[in-house]
Amino acid sequence: MTAAAEPALSPSAAAAPSARPLLAVNNIEVVYADVILVLRGLSLAVPQGQIVALLGANGAGKSTTLKAISGLLKTEDGAITRGEVLFDGQPVHGLEPEAIVRRGIFQVMEGRRIIADMTCLENLRLGAFTRRDRGQVPADIDMVYQYFPRLKERTGLAGYLSGGEQQMLAIGRALMAKPKLILMDEPSMGLSPFLVQEVFHIIRQLVSDLGVTILLVEQNARMALQVASYGYIMERGKVVLDGTAAALAQNEDVKEFYLGGGGGEDRKSFKNLKSYKRRKRWL
Amino acid sequence: MDWTLFLQLMINGLIVGALYGVVAMCFVLIYKASQVVNFAQGEFVLIGAWVCWFFLTKYQIPFVWGFLLTLVFMVIFGILIQVVVLRPMIGEPVISVIMVTIGLSIVFQALMKWAFGVFAQPFPPIFERESVAVFGLEVRTVYLVSLLVSVGIMAGFAYFFKATRMGLAMRATAFDQQVAQSLGISIRSVFAMAWAISAAVSAVAGVVVGVVNGVSSALSFIGIKVFPAVILGGLDSIVGGVLGGIIIGLVENLAHFVDSQWLHWGNLIEVVPFWVLIVILMIKPYGLFGTRDIERV
């Protein structure tokens, strides 16, 4: 499969978050094990039908943010101690993870996390666990196979799939739940640049075809800003910068810290390199 | 050499082994779903048999109804045990959980003696004919039915885990609880369900053995024999539990044959399964089908 029919970059329908976003995270504070403060007053909004990227260095709290939204925080002894998470205007913080999945938020966890001792088909069927319209499931499995044709050829255990195929399976499994919002944690992890292209291409297609909304956490900032319409940049548990993806991609600081290069003309000379240290943190 | 005795013992072994296999499956089910080593599995068998006996003899209801009532009772019983006793133990050290199940086993053992006495009680006769002819061999009806029931349960388990939604959810929970939750599976209800199924199916085995031998506290011996079976099969493999059970059933009867023909040591049938247990632990600690994780990155 090639990325031949690659459409132009996502339309800049982005703009600022609309009046009532699908997901609104308002000033949440997250504490692990009652003592470790990880998120300190984080807010973000994800409008319907768009891809929003959440970027930041390791340990900034990106994955924690996703787990706070999906409720999986509870499985790791974490809790939201302040603030609120509104989904479709309804508060979802404090609900059990399974209740949040039923509301329509599905998290694709970091590192794929497919069920290795089941087949692809069984993994996909599991994705539809919370669905009420069970008659529709076989048709949806076919739909997933259309997006990821190579999954159909794999009849063995999912544990023997390659990394890229596992990622595709993880995304396919998320689609089977028919969620309104998919939280994607590092879909590019451990994939070759070509596969990253392919996966992101499909993610963009999913958004335009199916109208799902995606909150995307990525280390690969360049790729993420290409597909996203809006972006947030986190540092030490807070959002420090946000804007349309195009604006962020042009921002000198973002270029310098996440995209490589950048820094303007004066960076060309070694004698100016001190500026790097001075501006390393925004805070 | 007495070939009739040999054949008889092998058939015995197969029938008893299939029952071990059924109880071993129940044990593995609980272990896989909720990571609890259930030392009270044998008492589930015992309780099932006593409860069914109670319905049949005290209320004189037909066997089918008594049996179904027993299943309902055991489902509720299994859920209650999980919710009341085991759920608060989630996250506690393994050794504490094991102590709790050993405690449960002792309590139920005593409770059954207190409630129903210490003497073996026969089941009222269930089948019209004592024995039927199969390929010219006279086979006791209960044995035949017992084998059919065991095979039926095994097929039921296979279908449940392969094809049903809840079966898949249980396997997912066994594989990775966090992922299961991210898929919208309530692991609490999976735990409760595992205990309910395990208790009910163990009760079926208990009723079958009770019909053959009468009900007494000795019935919980199955719970002990299950350990060699599951260790042989691999602690977390349902198929392994079944095969382990059948192998243990055959091996102990083979030992009985050898013992009665040549050795005359007596009671080898009781001991040999545990020799197998020790040897397996020494040479193949994962058993025949125990998991070693598939890893590919």
Coordinates of all heavy atoms in Angstrom, one line a residue, chain A residues 67 72 75-76 97-98 101-102 106-107 109 112-118 122 125-130 134 157 159-163 166 173, chain B residues 32 161-173 175-188 190 291 294-297:
Chain A
K67 N -5.0 9.9 30.2 CA -5.6 9.0 31.1 C -6.6 9.7 32.0 O -7.5 9.0 32.5 CB -4.5 8.3 31.9 CG -3.7 7.2 31.1 CD -2.6 6.7 31.9 CE -1.7 5.8 31.0 NZ -0.3 5.8 31.4
L72 N -8.6 6.1 32.9 CA -7.6 5.0 33.2 C -6.7 5.4 34.3 O -6.0 4.6 34.9 CB -6.9 4.6 32.0 CG -7.7 3.9 30.9 CD1 -6.8 3.6 29.7 CD2 -8.2 2.6 31.5
T75 N -6.7 3.3 37.3 CA -6.0 2.0 37.4 C -4.5 2.2 37.8 O -3.8 1.2 38.0 CB -6.1 1.3 36.0 OG1 -5.3 2.1 35.1 CG2 -7.5 1.2 35.5
E76 N -4.1 3.4 37.8 CA -2.7 3.7 38.2 C -2.6 4.5 39.5 O -1.6 5.2 39.7 CB -2.0 4.4 37.0 CG -1.9 3.5 35.8 CD -1.3 4.2 34.6 OE1 -1.0 5.4 34.7 OE2 -1.0 3.5 33.6
P97 N -13.6 3.9 34.1 CA -13.2 3.9 32.7 C -14.2 3.3 31.8 O -14.5 3.8 30.7 CB -11.9 3.1 32.7 CG -11.5 2.9 34.1 CD -12.6 3.3 35.0
E98 N -14.9 2.2 32.2 CA -15.8 1.6 31.3 C -17.0 2.5 31.0 O -17.6 2.5 29.9 CB -16.3 0.2 31.8 CG -17.0 0.2 33.2 CD -16.0 -0.2 34.3 OE1 -14.8 0.0 34.1 OE2 -16.5 -0.6 35.4
V101 N -15.9 4.9 28.4 CA -15.9 4.3 27.0 C -17.4 4.3 26.5 O -17.6 4.6 25.3 CB -15.4 2.9 27.1 CG1 -15.5 2.2 25.7 CG2 -13.9 2.9 27.5
R102 N -18.3 4.0 27.3 CA -19.7 4.0 26.9 C -20.2 5.3 26.5 O -21.0 5.5 25.6 CB -20.6 3.4 28.0 CG -20.6 1.9 28.0 CD -21.3 1.3 29.2 NE -20.8 0.0 29.6 CZ -21.2 -1.1 29.0 NH1 -22.0 -1.0 28.0 NH2 -20.6 -2.2 29.3
F106 N -12.6 6.9 23.6 CA -11.8 5.7 23.6 C -10.3 6.0 23.5 O -9.9 6.8 22.7 CB -12.2 4.9 22.3 CG -11.8 3.4 22.3 CD1 -12.6 2.4 22.7 CD2 -10.4 3.1 22.0 CE1 -12.2 1.1 22.7 CE2 -10.0 1.8 22.0 CZ -10.9 0.8 22.4
Q107 N -9.6 5.4 24.4 CA -8.1 5.7 24.4 C -7.3 4.6 23.7 O -7.5 3.4 24.0 CB -7.6 5.9 25.8 CG -6.1 6.2 25.8 CD -5.6 6.6 27.1 OE1 -6.3 6.7 28.1 NE2 -4.3 6.9 27.2
M109 N -3.9 3.3 23.8 CA -2.9 3.5 24.7 C -1.5 3.4 24.1 O -1.3 2.8 23.0 CB -2.9 2.5 25.9 CG -4.0 2.9 26.9 SD -3.8 2.0 28.4 CE -4.5 0.5 27.8
R112 N 0.6 0.5 21.7 CA -0.4 -0.4 21.1 C -1.2 -1.2 22.0 O -2.4 -1.1 22.0 CB 0.3 -1.4 20.1 CG 0.6 -0.8 18.8 CD 1.9 -0.1 18.7 NE 3.0 -0.9 18.6 CZ 4.2 -0.5 18.3 NH1 4.4 0.7 17.9 NH2 5.2 -1.4 18.3
R113 N -0.6 -2.1 22.9 CA -1.4 -2.8 23.9 C -2.5 -3.6 23.3 O -3.6 -3.7 23.8 CB -1.9 -1.9 24.9 CG -0.9 -1.0 25.6 CD 0.0 -1.8 26.6 NE -0.8 -2.1 27.8 CZ -0.8 -1.3 28.8 NH1 -0.2 -0.1 28.8 NH2 -1.5 -1.6 29.9
I114 N -2.2 -4.3 22.2 CA -3.2 -5.2 21.7 C -3.1 -6.5 22.5 O -2.2 -6.7 23.2 CB -3.0 -5.6 20.2 CG1 -1.5 -5.9 20.0 CG2 -3.3 -4.4 19.3 CD1 -1.2 -6.9 19.0
I115 N -4.2 -7.4 22.4 CA -4.2 -8.6 23.1 C -3.4 -9.6 22.3 O -3.9 -10.2 21.3 CB -5.6 -9.1 23.4 CG1 -6.5 -8.0 23.9 CG2 -5.6 -10.3 24.3 CD1 -6.3 -7.6 25.3
A116 N -2.2 -9.9 22.8 CA -1.2 -10.7 22.0 C -1.7 -12.1 21.7 O -1.4 -12.7 20.7 CB 0.2 -10.7 22.6
D117 N -2.4 -12.7 22.7 CA -2.8 -14.1 22.5 C -4.1 -14.3 21.9 O -4.8 -15.3 22.0 CB -2.6 -14.9 23.8 CG -3.5 -14.4 24.9 OD1 -4.3 -13.5 24.7 OD2 -3.4 -14.9 26.0
M118 N -4.6 -13.3 21.2 CA -5.8 -13.4 20.4 C -5.5 -13.1 19.0 O -4.5 -12.4 18.7 CB -6.9 -12.4 20.9 CG -7.5 -12.7 22.2 SD -8.9 -11.6 22.5 CE -9.2 -12.0 24.2
E122 N -10.4 -11.4 16.7 CA -10.9 -11.3 18.1 C -10.6 -10.0 18.7 O -11.4 -9.4 19.5 CB -10.3 -12.5 18.9 CG -10.8 -13.8 18.5 CD -10.1 -15.0 19.2 OE1 -8.9 -14.9 19.4 OE2 -10.7 -16.0 19.4
R125 N -13.2 -7.7 17.4 CA -14.5 -7.9 18.1 C -14.5 -7.4 19.5 O -15.6 -6.9 20.0 CB -14.8 -9.4 18.0 CG -15.4 -9.8 16.7 CD -15.5 -11.3 16.6 NE -16.2 -11.9 17.7 CZ -16.1 -13.1 18.1 NH1 -15.2 -13.9 17.5 NH2 -16.8 -13.6 19.1
L126 N -13.4 -7.5 20.2 CA -13.3 -6.9 21.5 C -13.5 -5.4 21.5 O -14.1 -4.9 22.5 CB -12.0 -7.2 22.1 CG -11.9 -8.4 23.1 CD1 -10.5 -8.4 23.6 CD2 -12.8 -8.1 24.3
G127 N -13.0 -4.8 20.5 CA -13.2 -3.3 20.4 C -14.7 -2.9 20.5 O -15.0 -1.9 21.0
A128 N -15.5 -3.8 19.9 CA -16.9 -3.5 19.9 C -17.7 -3.9 21.2 O -18.9 -4.0 21.2 CB -17.5 -4.2 18.7
F129 N -16.9 -4.2 22.2 CA -17.5 -4.7 23.4 C -18.7 -3.9 24.0 O -19.7 -4.4 24.4 CB -16.5 -4.9 24.6 CG -17.0 -5.5 25.8 CD1 -17.2 -6.8 25.9 CD2 -17.3 -4.7 26.9 CE1 -17.7 -7.4 27.1 CE2 -17.8 -5.2 28.1 CZ -18.0 -6.6 28.1
T130 N -18.6 -2.6 23.9 CA -19.6 -1.8 24.5 C -20.7 -1.4 23.6 O -21.7 -0.8 24.0 CB -19.0 -0.4 25.0 OG1 -18.3 0.1 23.9 CG2 -18.1 -0.6 26.2
R134 N -25.2 -4.8 17.9 CA -24.2 -5.9 17.7 C -24.4 -6.4 16.3 O -23.4 -7.0 15.7 CB -24.4 -7.0 18.7 CG -24.0 -6.5 20.0 CD -23.7 -7.5 21.1 NE -23.8 -6.8 22.3 CZ -24.4 -7.2 23.4 NH1 -25.1 -8.3 23.4 NH2 -24.4 -6.4 24.5
L157 N -1.9 -15.2 15.6 CA -2.1 -14.4 16.8 C -1.5 -13.0 16.6 O -0.6 -12.8 15.9 CB -1.3 -15.1 18.0 CG -1.8 -16.4 18.4 CD1 -1.1 -16.9 19.6 CD2 -3.3 -16.3 18.8
G159 N 0.0 -11.2 18.5 CA 1.3 -11.0 19.1 C 2.4 -11.1 18.1 O 3.5 -10.6 18.3
Y160 N 2.1 -11.8 17.0 CA 3.2 -12.0 16.0 C 3.1 -11.0 14.8 O 3.8 -11.1 13.9 CB 3.0 -13.4 15.4 CG 3.3 -14.5 16.4 CD1 2.3 -15.4 16.7 CD2 4.6 -14.6 17.0 CE1 2.6 -16.4 17.7 CE2 4.8 -15.6 17.9 CZ 3.8 -16.5 18.3 OH 4.1 -17.4 19.2
L161 N 2.2 -10.0 15.0 CA 2.2 -8.9 14.0 C 3.4 -8.0 14.1 O 4.0 -7.9 15.2 CB 0.9 -8.1 14.1 CG -0.4 -8.8 13.9 CD1 -1.5 -7.8 14.2 CD2 -0.5 -9.2 12.5
S162 N 3.8 -7.3 13.0 CA 4.8 -6.4 13.2 C 4.3 -5.2 13.9 O 3.1 -5.0 14.1 CB 5.3 -6.0 11.8 OG 4.3 -5.1 11.2
G163 N 5.3 -4.3 14.3 CA 4.9 -3.1 15.1 C 3.9 -2.3 14.4 O 2.9 -1.8 15.0
Q166 N 0.5 -3.9 14.4 CA -0.1 -3.8 15.7 C -0.7 -2.4 15.9 O -1.8 -2.3 16.5 CB 1.0 -4.1 16.8 CG 1.4 -5.5 16.8 CD 2.2 -5.9 18.0 OE1 2.4 -5.0 18.9 NE2 2.8 -7.1 18.1
R173 N -9.2 -1.3 16.3 CA -10.0 -1.7 17.5 C -10.7 -0.5 18.1 O -11.8 -0.7 18.5 CB -9.0 -2.3 18.5 CG -9.6 -3.0 19.7 CD -8.6 -3.7 20.5 NE -7.7 -2.8 21.2 CZ -6.7 -3.2 22.0 NH1 -6.5 -4.4 22.3 NH2 -5.9 -2.3 22.6
Chain B
K32 N -6.9 -17.4 36.1 CA -6.6 -16.5 35.0 C -7.3 -15.2 35.1 O -6.8 -14.1 34.8 CB -7.1 -17.2 33.7 CG -6.1 -18.0 33.0 CD -6.5 -18.4 31.6 CE -6.1 -17.4 30.6 NZ -5.5 -18.1 29.4
F161 N -15.3 -19.2 25.3 CA -14.1 -18.4 25.2 C -13.7 -18.0 23.8 O -13.0 -17.0 23.6 CB -12.9 -19.1 25.9 CG -12.9 -19.0 27.4 CD1 -13.2 -20.1 28.1 CD2 -12.8 -17.8 28.0 CE1 -13.3 -20.0 29.5 CE2 -12.9 -17.7 29.4 CZ -13.1 -18.8 30.1
K162 N -14.2 -18.8 22.8 CA -13.9 -18.5 21.4 C -14.9 -17.5 20.8 O -14.5 -16.6 20.1 CB -13.9 -19.8 20.6 CG -12.5 -20.4 20.5 CD -11.6 -19.7 19.6 CE -10.2 -20.1 19.7 NZ -9.3 -19.1 19.2
A163 N -16.1 -17.7 21.2 CA -17.2 -17.1 20.3 C -18.0 -16.1 21.0 O -18.7 -15.3 20.4 CB -18.1 -18.2 19.7
T164 N -18.1 -16.0 22.4 CA -19.0 -15.1 23.0 C -18.3 -13.8 23.4 O -17.0 -13.8 23.6 CB -19.7 -15.7 24.2 OG1 -18.7 -15.9 25.2 CG2 -20.3 -17.0 23.9
R165 N -19.1 -12.8 23.5 CA -18.5 -11.5 23.9 C -17.9 -11.5 25.3 O -16.8 -11.0 25.5 CB -19.7 -10.5 23.8 CG -19.5 -9.1 24.0 CD -20.8 -8.4 23.6 NE -20.9 -7.1 24.4 CZ -21.4 -7.0 25.6 NH1 -21.9 -8.0 26.2 NH2 -21.4 -5.8 26.2
M166 N -18.6 -12.1 26.2 CA -18.1 -12.1 27.6 C -16.9 -13.0 27.7 O -16.0 -12.7 28.5 CB -19.2 -12.6 28.6 CG -20.2 -11.5 29.0 SD -19.5 -9.9 29.5 CE -18.7 -10.3 31.1
G167 N -16.9 -14.1 26.9 CA -15.7 -14.9 26.9 C -14.5 -14.2 26.5 O -13.4 -14.3 27.1
L168 N -14.6 -13.4 25.4 CA -13.5 -12.6 24.9 C -13.1 -11.6 26.0 O -11.9 -11.3 26.2 CB -13.9 -11.9 23.6 CG -13.9 -12.7 22.3 CD1 -14.3 -11.8 21.1 CD2 -12.6 -13.3 22.0
A169 N -14.1 -11.0 26.6 CA -13.8 -10.0 27.6 C -13.0 -10.6 28.8 O -12.1 -10.0 29.3 CB -15.1 -9.4 28.2
M170 N -13.3 -11.9 29.1 CA -12.6 -12.5 30.2 C -11.1 -12.8 29.8 O -10.2 -12.6 30.6 CB -13.2 -13.9 30.5 CG -14.3 -13.7 31.5 SD -14.7 -15.4 32.1 CE -16.0 -14.9 33.3
R171 N -11.0 -13.2 28.5 CA -9.6 -13.5 28.1 C -8.8 -12.2 28.0 O -7.6 -12.1 28.4 CB -9.6 -14.1 26.7 CG -10.0 -15.6 26.7 CD -10.3 -16.1 25.3 NE -9.1 -16.0 24.4 CZ -9.3 -16.1 23.1 NH1 -10.4 -16.3 22.5 NH2 -8.2 -16.0 22.3
A172 N -9.5 -11.1 27.6 CA -8.8 -9.8 27.6 C -8.4 -9.4 29.0 O -7.3 -8.9 29.2 CB -9.7 -8.7 27.0
T173 N -9.3 -9.6 29.9 CA -9.0 -9.2 31.3 C -7.8 -10.0 31.9 O -7.0 -9.5 32.6 CB -10.2 -9.4 32.2 OG1 -11.3 -8.8 31.6 CG2 -10.0 -8.9 33.6
F175 N -5.5 -11.2 30.1 CA -4.2 -10.8 29.5 C -3.7 -9.5 30.0 O -2.5 -9.4 30.3 CB -4.4 -10.7 28.0 CG -3.2 -10.3 27.2 CD1 -2.3 -11.3 26.9 CD2 -2.9 -9.0 26.8 CE1 -1.1 -11.1 26.2 CE2 -1.7 -8.8 26.1 CZ -0.8 -9.8 25.8
D176 N -4.6 -8.5 30.2 CA -4.1 -7.2 30.7 C -5.3 -6.4 31.2 O -6.1 -6.0 30.4 CB -3.4 -6.5 29.5 CG -2.8 -5.1 29.9 OD1 -3.3 -4.6 30.9 OD2 -1.9 -4.7 29.2
Q177 N -5.4 -6.3 32.5 CA -6.5 -5.6 33.1 C -6.7 -4.2 32.6 O -7.8 -3.7 32.4 CB -6.5 -5.7 34.6 CG -6.6 -7.1 35.1 CD -6.6 -7.2 36.6 OE1 -6.6 -6.1 37.3 NE2 -6.6 -8.4 37.2
Q178 N -5.6 -3.5 32.5 CA -5.7 -2.0 32.1 C -6.3 -1.9 30.7 O -7.2 -1.1 30.5 CB -4.4 -1.3 32.2 CG -4.6 0.2 32.2 CD -3.3 0.9 32.3 OE1 -2.2 0.4 31.8 NE2 -3.3 2.1 32.8
V179 N -5.8 -2.7 29.8 CA -6.3 -2.7 28.4 C -7.8 -3.1 28.4 O -8.6 -2.4 27.8 CB -5.5 -3.7 27.5 CG1 -6.2 -3.8 26.2 CG2 -4.1 -3.1 27.3
A180 N -8.1 -4.1 29.2 CA -9.5 -4.5 29.2 C -10.4 -3.3 29.7 O -11.5 -3.1 29.1 CB -9.7 -5.7 30.2
Q181 N -10.0 -2.6 30.6 CA -10.7 -1.4 31.1 C -10.8 -0.4 30.0 O -11.8 0.3 29.8 CB -10.1 -0.8 32.4 CG -10.5 -1.7 33.6 CD -9.9 -1.1 34.8 OE1 -8.7 -1.2 35.0 NE2 -10.7 -0.6 35.7
S182 N -9.7 -0.2 29.3 CA -9.7 0.8 28.2 C -10.7 0.4 27.1 O -11.1 1.3 26.3 CB -8.3 1.0 27.7 OG -8.0 0.1 26.7
L183 N -11.0 -0.9 27.0 CA -12.0 -1.3 26.0 C -13.4 -1.2 26.5 O -14.4 -1.6 25.8 CB -11.7 -2.7 25.6 CG -10.4 -3.0 24.9 CD1 -10.1 -4.5 24.8 CD2 -10.3 -2.3 23.6
G184 N -13.6 -0.8 27.7 CA -14.9 -0.6 28.3 C -15.4 -1.9 29.0 O -16.6 -2.0 29.2
I185 N -14.5 -2.8 29.3 CA -14.9 -4.0 30.1 C -14.8 -3.7 31.6 O -13.8 -3.1 32.0 CB -13.9 -5.1 29.7 CG1 -14.1 -5.5 28.3 CG2 -14.2 -6.3 30.6 CD1 -12.9 -6.3 27.7
S186 N -15.9 -4.0 32.3 CA -15.8 -3.8 33.7 C -15.2 -5.0 34.3 O -15.7 -6.1 34.3 CB -17.3 -3.7 34.2 OG -17.3 -4.0 35.6
I187 N -14.0 -4.8 34.9 CA -13.2 -6.0 35.4 C -13.9 -6.6 36.6 O -13.8 -7.7 36.9 CB -11.7 -5.8 35.6 CG1 -11.5 -4.6 36.5 CG2 -11.0 -5.6 34.3 CD1 -10.0 -4.6 36.9
R188 N -14.6 -5.7 37.4 CA -15.4 -6.2 38.5 C -16.4 -7.3 38.1 O -16.5 -8.3 38.7 CB -16.1 -5.1 39.2 CG -15.2 -4.2 39.9 CD -16.1 -3.0 40.4 NE -15.3 -2.2 41.3 CZ -15.8 -1.5 42.3 NH1 -17.1 -1.6 42.5 NH2 -15.1 -0.7 43.0
V190 N -16.3 -9.0 35.4 CA -15.6 -10.2 34.9 C -15.1 -11.1 36.1 O -15.3 -12.3 36.0 CB -14.4 -9.8 34.0 CG1 -13.4 -11.0 33.8 CG2 -14.8 -9.2 32.7
T291 N 1.9 -20.3 29.9 CA 2.3 -19.2 29.0 C 3.8 -18.8 29.2 O 4.2 -18.6 30.3 CB 1.6 -17.9 29.3 OG1 0.6 -18.1 30.2 CG2 1.0 -17.3 28.0
I294 N 4.4 -14.0 24.4 CA 4.8 -13.7 23.1 C 5.3 -12.3 23.1 O 4.7 -11.4 23.6 CB 3.6 -13.7 22.1 CG1 2.9 -15.1 22.0 CG2 4.0 -13.2 20.7 CD1 1.6 -15.1 21.3
E295 N 6.5 -12.0 22.6 CA 7.0 -10.7 22.6 C 7.5 -10.3 21.2 O 8.4 -11.0 20.7 CB 8.0 -10.5 23.7 CG 8.0 -9.1 24.2 CD 8.6 -9.0 25.6 OE1 8.1 -9.8 26.5 OE2 9.6 -8.3 25.7
R296 N 6.9 -9.3 20.6 CA 7.5 -8.8 19.4 C 7.3 -7.3 19.3 O 6.1 -6.9 19.5 CB 6.8 -9.5 18.2 CG 7.3 -9.0 16.9 CD 6.9 -9.8 15.7 NE 7.3 -9.2 14.5 CZ 7.1 -9.6 13.3 NH1 6.4 -10.7 13.2 NH2 7.5 -9.0 12.3
V297 N 8.3 -6.6 19.1 CA 8.2 -5.1 19.2 C 8.4 -4.6 17.8 O 9.3 -5.0 17.1 CB 9.2 -4.6 20.2 CG1 9.0 -3.1 20.2 CG2 8.9 -5.2 21.5

